[in-house]
């Protein structure tokens, strides 16, 4: 049993390093600072706080693979921009304006909501861009 522990530990480390790093707290923090900052209503701040990662992801789904419609649009925008995830994790302030620009671009994209045509319309209506607090 003890002989297998180093192999298991190495495998876990390898998987952690090799996996894509989209579901990271700095994205959540950046979304909060842009949309749920001082000017936002308490209702929206609470909603964003309750949703946490589900602003982009879906509750009880694999966060590395499953994103809601907003998360999918944001991921495409980040990839198109070749946003440096690893560098962002190290120095969020350096990339804050660039990420804010990406958020603003995604605001104009179509949501799956008939009443609120774009993600920006949903946010203005104090709704999460990708669905409810569970990301659905």
């Amino acid at each position: 049993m003890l002989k297998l522990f180093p192999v298991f530990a190495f495998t876990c480390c390898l998987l952690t390093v090799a996996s894509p790093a989209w579901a990271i707290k700095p994205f959540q923090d950046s979304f909060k600072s842009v949309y749920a900052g001082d000017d936002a209503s308490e209702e929206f701040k609470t909603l964003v706080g309750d949703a946490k990662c589900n602003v982009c992801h879906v509750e009880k789904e694999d966060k590395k693979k499953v994103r809601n419609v907003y998360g999918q649009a944001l991921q495409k925008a980040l990839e198109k921009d070749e946003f440096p995830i690893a560098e962002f994790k190290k120095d969020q302030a350096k990339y804050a304006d660039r990420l804010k620009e990406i958020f603003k671009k995604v605001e104009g994209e179509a949501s799956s909501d008939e009443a609120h045509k774009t993600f920006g319309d949903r946010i203005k209506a104090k709704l999460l861009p990708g669905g409810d607090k569970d990301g659905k």
Side-chain angles (χ1 to χ4, degrees):
M1 181 77 161
L2 289 176
K3 292 180 183 179
L4 293 176
F5 180 76
V7 173
F8 177 75
F10 176 76
T11 303
C12 288
C13 289
L14 185 61
L15 289 173
T16 302
V17 172
S19 64
W22 296 107
I24 59 172
K25 189 172 183 320
F27 280 134
Q28 176 188 354
D29 294 341
S30 295
F31 183 89
K32 280 183 181 179
S33 71
V34 172
Y35 297 108
D38 294 337
D39 296 338
S41 70
E42 290 303 316
E43 174 188 6
F44 191 68
K45 289 179 190 178
T46 300
L47 184 60
V48 170
D50 289 346
K52 298 178 183 154
C53 297
N54 295 333
V55 169
C56 296
H57 296 275
V58 179
E59 184 71 22
K60 297 182 182 176
E61 296 288 342
D62 184 342
K63 301 255 186 264
K64 293 180 181 176
K65 295 180 182 176
V66 180
R67 293 171 186 83
N68 61 35
V69 291
Y70 178 73
Q72 292 169 19
L74 184 58
Q75 177 190 7
K76 286 179 188 172
L78 290 166
E79 288 174 350
K80 182 177 181 183
D81 184 78
E82 296 180 6
F83 190 82
I85 306 294
E87 288 83 4
F88 173 68
K89 288 179 4 180
K90 293 175 190 171
D91 187 359
Q92 295 153 34
K94 181 177 178 180
Y95 297 98
D97 289 338
R98 186 171 169 186
L99 183 56
K100 184 176 181 178
E101 287 177 27
I102 294 169
F103 282 147
K104 294 298 180 182
K105 286 179 188 174
V106 174
E107 271 184 36
E109 293 190 26
S111 72
S112 58
D113 182 350
E114 260 318 295
H116 307 94
K117 301 284 185 200
T118 67
F119 296 120
D121 292 341
R122 287 187 56 82
I123 293 168
K124 287 175 190 162
K126 299 178 181 105
L127 299 169
L128 293 172
D132 63 14
K133 73 175 184 65
D134 292 329
K136 298 177 182 178

